Each structure stands twice: as C-alpha cells, then as structure tokens.
Amino acid sequence: MILIDCPYCGPRNSTEFRHAGEAGRKREVTTNDPAVWRRYLYQQDNPLGWVRENWFHTTGCRQFLCAERNTQTNEIRWVAPAGSPGPDGASNNGGAR
Amino acid sequence: MSHAESVPSNKVTAGTQARRRRSRGPARYSALDIFRRGVTNSDWPRSFRQHDLAKSYDVVIIGAGVHGLACAYYLAAHHGITNVAVLDKSYMGGGGSGRNTAIIRSNYLTPEGVRFYDRSVVLYQNLAADLNYNVMFSQRGHLTLAHTDASLRTMNWRAEVNKLQGINSSVIDAAEVGRIVKYLDVSDRPRYPILGALYHPPGGIIRHDAVNWGYARAADHLGVQIHQQTEVLGIETAGGKVTGVRTNRGAISASIVVNCTAGWATTISDMVGVKMPLITHPLQAAVTEPVKVFLPSVIVSGSLHVYVSQTDRGELVFGASVDPYPSYSMRGSLEFTESVASHILELIPSIGSLKVLRQWAGLCDMTPDYSPIMGVTPVAGFLVDVGWGTYGFKAGPVSGEAMAALVATGRVPEIISAFDLARFADGRLVGEKGAASVGH
Ligand SMILES: Cc1cc2nc3c(=O)[nH]c(=O)nc-3n(C[C@H](O)[C@H](O)[C@H](O)COP(=O)(O)OP(=O)(O)OC[C@H]3O[C@@H](n4cnc5c(N)ncnc54)[C@H](O)[C@@H]3O)c2cc1C
Ligand SMILES: [Zn+2]
C-alpha cells in the first residue's frame, strides 16, 4: 500500500487515485509530425529511483496532483497540486492531458 | 549488419569444442541413474558450474532468466557459439522467470503473435527430451471466459485468427464450459454470468523453475558460463558499437551484448542511450494450500481480473493484471489478495474455505501494444529481447532460438521481424492487449 498525502484531502490509500504518468510530458501541439506524437504517446523514462509523476484523486477531490516517489521503495517525499513548482524550483509538473 | 561480423567465424572449432564438452558432461538424468544413486548413496553433480569472469567473451547476455538462458543455450546448441557469458545481478531465475504462473498458450490476437507463440508451444513440447530435464509441461487446456457480449466478440475474433494459423482454438458456450470444469458457476446467478469461453486445448502450465534450470544446465554443458551475483553497471561503446560491459566483478570486452533483463530493461538500455517504450509494473500472484486435484484446465476471466490453475501438487495458483502504477518494488499488497479472492469466489464459490499460503510479485516490462521488442537497436552489437510484460515466460524458447539465430547470422529471423523496436516510431504496433492483459 502507498499512502499519498493529498494536499486537499490528507493521507489516503493509493487505491483512491489513478496514476496519470510521469510529470511534465507535453503535447507538441504546434507539430503534426507523427514521430513526435508517437514519442509523446509511447515514451516515458521509467526510472529506477526517484520519479516525478501525476496522480488523479478519483474517489476524493478529483484533482490532479504531482508527487515525487521512489520507484524502488514506493516512498513518497513530496506531493503538491499538479503544476506547482517542485522542491527544486522546476515548474514543469503538470499532467499530460 | 555490423554486429554479425564480430561473431566468431570458426564455427567448426567452436562446435567441436562443444561436442567434446558434451561427451565429458555430467550424468544424464534417467530412471536408472536415480536407482543407482539411491543404492550407492552418491551425490548428484552440480547442474551448472561457477567460473572466474574472463576478460572477454564473444557474446554477453545480461539477465539469467528464461530468455537469457534460452538464448545462450541455442547459441551453443544450434550455432556452436559457446564463448558466451550470461550475467545476472541476482540469482539465476530470480526475476520474472522464477515468479510467473507458468501459463503457456498460443491463442493470441494477431497473426504475428499467434505464429510466434505457437513456435514456442512446439519447442516446449519437446523441451524435456531436448534438455534431458523434466519440465512437467501439462497441456491441460486453457479457457478464457467471456462475461459480456464485447468479450465474446473478441473471443470469436481470436478464434478465427487462431484457426487461420492452424491453432486448436474455438468459442464454446456456457454449458460446455460447465462440462469441462464442473465446479465453475455457469448459472445466471453471478453478477457477471459466464456467456461462453475461448477454448484452447493445447494451452497449459509448466514447471517454470525446471525450464530455467534445464536451460542453465544444458547451456553449461555446452560451455556457456553463467555468472550469478554479477551486476552490469555500464556498457562501453566506441563509434556507435558495443565494445564491452562493466560489472561489479570487473570489465569484460564483448562486441555483442544482449539485453534480457525484462523488468529492468530500461536501466540497461539507458546505459547506451537507447530509449525504449517500456514501463515497469509489478505483477502479483498467490497460491493456496494444496487440495485434491479438481480443476482440469487453466481458467482466465478478463472481466473479473483473475485467473486460476491447479498445480499437480494441488495448490491453486491465482493471478491478475498488473498493479496499477509503475514500480520496481516486489512487495505484495492486501488489495491484490482481496480482489483476487472476491473475484474467484464468484467463479468457484466452493473454494471459500481454502487458505492462501503465500503471495509474491515480479516485475513486468510493459509495452504500449502488449507485444515484445526483439532485435537490433541503433547501437551496433546492442541487441534487445525485452518487453515481456506479463506474458513472456511462454516465449522463452522461441525468442531464445530466434535471438541466437540473429546473433549468429546477423539477420533478423522472419518469426520475430514484426516485433522490432523501430515499430513504435513507424506506427506499426502489434496490438495484443485484447489477448494478453489479464490472461498471461
Ligand atoms: C506474477 C507473474 C506471473 C506471470 N505469469 C506468466 C504466465 O503465466 N505466462 C507467461 O508466459 N508469462 C508470465 N509472466 C511473465 C514472465 O514471468 C516474464 O515475462 C518472463 O519471465 C521474463 O523472462 P526474462 O528472462 O526476460 O526476464 P527475468 O526472468 O525477469 O530475468 C531478468 C534478469 O535480469 C537480471 N538483471 C536485471 N538488471 C541486471 C543488471 N544490471 N545486471 C545483471 N543482471 C540484471 C535480474 O536479476 C533478472 O534475473 C508472469 C510474470 C509475473 C511477475
Ligand atoms: Zn484529494
């Protein structure tokens, strides 16, 4: 079980959430190059270790969140509303929607 | 293809060496041998040896699961290439190959998939004799239940594709399902009544550990070296070509490196900058206490997210779809057990008092189209045999055979040509989700 500390609802079991992919993936809306779109559709980093990712609180506030989770231990060290600046100041933490 | 040039051309010498080793090899397993060792109380020889790491190999295979071991075995057995090292950071067969639920079948959805997996069924049928190792392949039949019109339509589609490829596969109605599996609730009482099923008589289960050990032992006899506790930390390249690997036990030079690390595949491919469309998800399974054998075939229900088979020992083996988020953690969860238990009781209410003995998880490298990725990459000499998701155990023999042929000849065998890495950039997906997301 992973406990996700939703900034709106408090700590909840991850079963209440839908994983929404790695954070910061952006549709390149200014191009119609299939290769670019396929990379966007199929390619993620899949790191072993820390990853910044989005979750959607399906059975709670129904908001998108951004979290930093260790994929080896499932430890979560940071959660914030999607799009908030990260602990490192990086701003690209919105979801791929 | 440039990587092929570096494969040793002295095939004859290598082959002769292999034969010499084989004739010197350990005792064949046989009933007579069991008897002899029983009365003389003598030890069995080790089934594979330990070695110092050499400075160089013709081929380095990363990952000693069924894929790495099968590739090594066929390199030696079919192509006489024996200067091969199989490296594993952990123990042999400790990845998905030792954690799967051992379902083997070929009733997939695409012609490419069906042909590919069926070659593996054929190889599995002869594997015990080929490896001189009892792999306990039991072709007891495989039923994929349909609870909705939509899934019945997919079953019909699969059955037609299967038949065109010469596979024994057909859609049967609920009454016939009830005749094959007596304890299944085929009434219209459950919330999702069984409408019918895709029936695949050649499907079944195998003893997965025996497959791994059998390949390891046979490859070892032919001169392949298996190195456990040997973690690849980096891959060296020069001018776009692989030159070797760095491990926790020292550096090795090799011009061909094959990535057979399944759930860890992107960590290896990232070392040479080859991006792969893989996401690692845990997949869990559980097993009950043993009871008298009553379940004749493998049963899968996509709608209920559960499947079950009974081992020859009598344990019920349960599985489901992957955990719903990426992770490299192999811890089980209560949610899984609860979900599997509640769903299986809708199918077979009479097992309500059985106790679950243990549960576990393994890592699955999921691709966008639920088909594997095999073949060459933009880095010469860096080959991949990954993307095995939740369904790769059954493919061990065929992909081992095909990858060995690719290494030996430099040409991609036709049977795996649809599964290349370039298909994602080119938009040539081989969509198997309808046949592989719950029933592995
Ligand atoms: C619960 C479960 C049920 C399944 N059920 C089925 C089923 O019924 N039928 C089916 O066909 N498939 C099934 N599968 C899928 C199947 O188990 C896998 O697809 C298959 O075993 C993959 O084999 P492999 O040899 O490619 O990789 P693995 O067996 O996973 O081996 C990869 C190896 O790579 C090693 N490794 C990783 N990183 C490094 C490194 N840096 N250096 C050295 N070594 C490294 C690991 O230690 C590991 O031993 C199931 C999987 C699971 C988890
Ligand atoms: Zn919330």
Side-chain angles (χ1 to χ4, degrees):
Chain A
M1 185 177 101
I2 308 180
L3 213 53
I4 299 177
D5 194 1
C6 175
Y8 304 106
C9 315
R12 300 290 182 87
N13 190 339
S14 66
T15 50
E16 290 192 5
F17 299 78
R18 179 171 64 78
H19 187 265
E22 291 171 12
R25 296 165 64 236
K26 280 257 149 38
R27 294 175 185 173
E28 296 289 342
V29 289
T30 53
T31 177
N32 59 4
D33 178 355
V36 173
W37 278 90
R38 286 177 187 139
R39 208 176 313 123
Y40 159 77
L41 280 175
Y42 306 140
Q43 191 59 58
Q44 298 195 39
D45 285 340
N46 195 37
L48 196 173
W50 292 102
V51 66
R52 202 170 286 173
E53 62 194 6
N54 294 120
W55 292 80
F56 180 67
H57 199 171
T58 322
T59 60
C61 56
R62 299 193 63 78
Q63 299 296 311
F64 278 92
L65 315 175
C66 185
E68 260 178 19
R69 179 175 61 103
N70 188 314
T71 58
Q72 189 150 32
T73 60
N74 287 333
E75 179 197 343
I76 293 185
R77 66 179 178 194
W78 174 76
V79 192
S84 341
D88 56 356
S91 61
N92 195 14
N93 299 318
R97 299 192 272 290
Chain B
M1 196 158 305
S2 54
H3 76 260
E5 289 154 19
S6 44
V7 167
S9 51
N10 54 340
K11 268 193 183 175
V12 182
T13 339
T16 321
Q17 265 171 6
R19 269 192 298 281
R20 217 177 297 134
R21 278 203 195 85
R22 199 212 289 268
S23 58
R24 185 156 42 77
R28 276 184 69 78
Y29 293 154
S30 66
L32 182 65
D33 203 33
I34 294 175
F35 177 74
R36 198 169 51 81
R37 285 177 203 281
V39 293
T40 60
N41 201 17
S42 64
D43 276 341
W44 294 88
R46 286 188 66 89
S47 60
F48 66 98
R49 295 159 292 181
Q50 288 187 332
H51 305 267
D52 292 331
L53 209 57
K55 290 268 165 290
S56 112
Y57 293 92
D58 294 335
V59 184
V60 165
I61 296 172
I62 312 176
V66 70
H67 283 265
L69 295 167
C71 179
Y73 168 74
Y74 291 112
L75 273 172
H78 289 180
H79 306 281
I81 298 172
T82 58
N83 187 16
V84 176
V86 186
L87 313 180
D88 201 292
K89 69 172 177 176
S90 179
Y91 60 96
M92 186 267 285
S97 299
R99 296 162 185 269
N100 65 85
T101 47
I103 295 171
I104 292 173
R105 61 187 178 91
S106 61
N107 58 350
Y108 278 74
L109 187 58
T110 66
E112 297 85 349
V114 174
R115 279 197 293 274
F116 172 75
Y117 292 108
D118 200 54
R119 171 70 189 152
S120 228
V121 171
V122 171
L123 289 168
Y124 267 130
Q125 282 167 338
N126 301 313
L127 200 62
D130 287 348
L131 301 180
N132 177 228
Y133 210 105
N134 185 1
V135 294
M136 297 169 71
F137 186 21
S138 162
Q139 294 186 282
R140 55 184 59 190
H142 185 282
L143 285 166
T144 317
L145 305 177
H147 305 264
T148 62
D149 288 341
S151 59
L152 208 51
R153 195 174 58 229
T154 311
M155 302 308 162
N156 276 309
W157 174 3
R158 277 169 67 181
E160 294 313 312
V161 173
N162 294 169
K163 285 177 202 157
L164 269 176
Q165 300 299 327
I167 308 299
N168 186 350
S169 169
S170 56
V171 173
I172 59 176
D173 64 16
E176 200 172 340
V177 173
R179 273 194 293 277
I180 297 171
V181 189
K182 294 214 182 52
Y183 297 83
L184 217 50
D185 187 350
V186 291
S187 71
D188 53 12
R189 271 191 310 272
R191 182 147 64 110
Y192 301 107
I194 295 169
L195 303 182
L198 182 65
Y199 184 39
H200 179 46
I205 53 175
I206 202 163
R207 184 162 179 232
H208 56 335
D209 289 328
V211 174
N212 303 331
W213 298 335
Y215 271 125
R217 173 170 172 269
D220 174 271
H221 294 177
L222 296 173
V224 168
Q225 295 190 358
I226 298 164
H227 294 282
Q228 306 184 97
Q229 308 288 316
T230 308
E231 178 169 8
V232 172
L233 304 170
I235 300 176
E236 312 294 343
T237 58
K241 290 184 184 168
V242 166
T243 56
V245 300
R246 260 186 308 116
T247 78
N248 60 336
R249 294 172 61 203
I252 304 172
S253 69
S255 54
I256 296 186
V257 171
V258 190
N259 179 3
C260 295
T261 54
W264 297 267
T266 54
T267 67
I268 300 294
S269 292
D270 284 350
M271 293 173 183
V272 285
V274 171
K275 293 301 269 180
M276 309 219 52
L278 298 171
I279 305 205
T280 299
H281 282 263
L283 176 65
Q284 302 187 49
V287 67
T288 67
E289 58 189 326
V291 288
K292 190 174 170 184
V293 174
F294 71 97
L295 204 62
S297 72
V298 182
I299 298 166
V300 182
S301 168
S303 308
L304 294 178
H305 301 282
V306 69
Y307 63 90
V308 58
S309 70
Q310 188 172 23
T311 67
D312 294 319
R313 245 193 318 216
E315 300 152 328
L316 295 185
V317 179
F318 299 125
S321 15
V322 292
D323 289 357
Y325 47 84
S327 179
Y328 291 80
S329 158
M330 286 187 272
R331 293 184 60 171
S333 68
L334 180 62
E335 289 92 26
F336 164 80
T337 327
E338 280 179 342
S339 150
V340 156
S342 61
H343 286 143
I344 200 70
L345 288 180
E346 287 197 37
L347 289 178
I348 317 177
S350 55
I351 59 171
S353 59
L354 274 188
K355 292 186 183 62
V356 170
L357 279 193
R358 50 181 193 279
Q359 79 183 90
W360 65 93
L363 301 187
C364 297
D365 43 339
M366 308 301 292
T367 58
D369 58 0
Y370 287 69
S371 282
I373 307 175
M374 285 172 281
V376 298
T377 67
V379 176
F382 182 68
L383 307 179
V384 291
D385 173 7
V386 299
W388 289 112
T390 63
Y391 40 79
F393 193 79
K394 69 177 68 59
V398 60
S399 55
E401 182 186 56
M403 291 301 294
L406 169 59
V407 169
T409 65
R411 280 187 305 276
V412 177
E414 200 269 325
I415 194 155
I416 62 167
S417 59
F419 303 111
D420 59 331
L421 174 60
R423 76 176 183 273
F424 298 98
D426 298 350
R428 287 183 280 109
L429 271 56
V430 187
E432 286 287 4
K433 185 169 185 185
S437 62
V438 176
H440 318 307

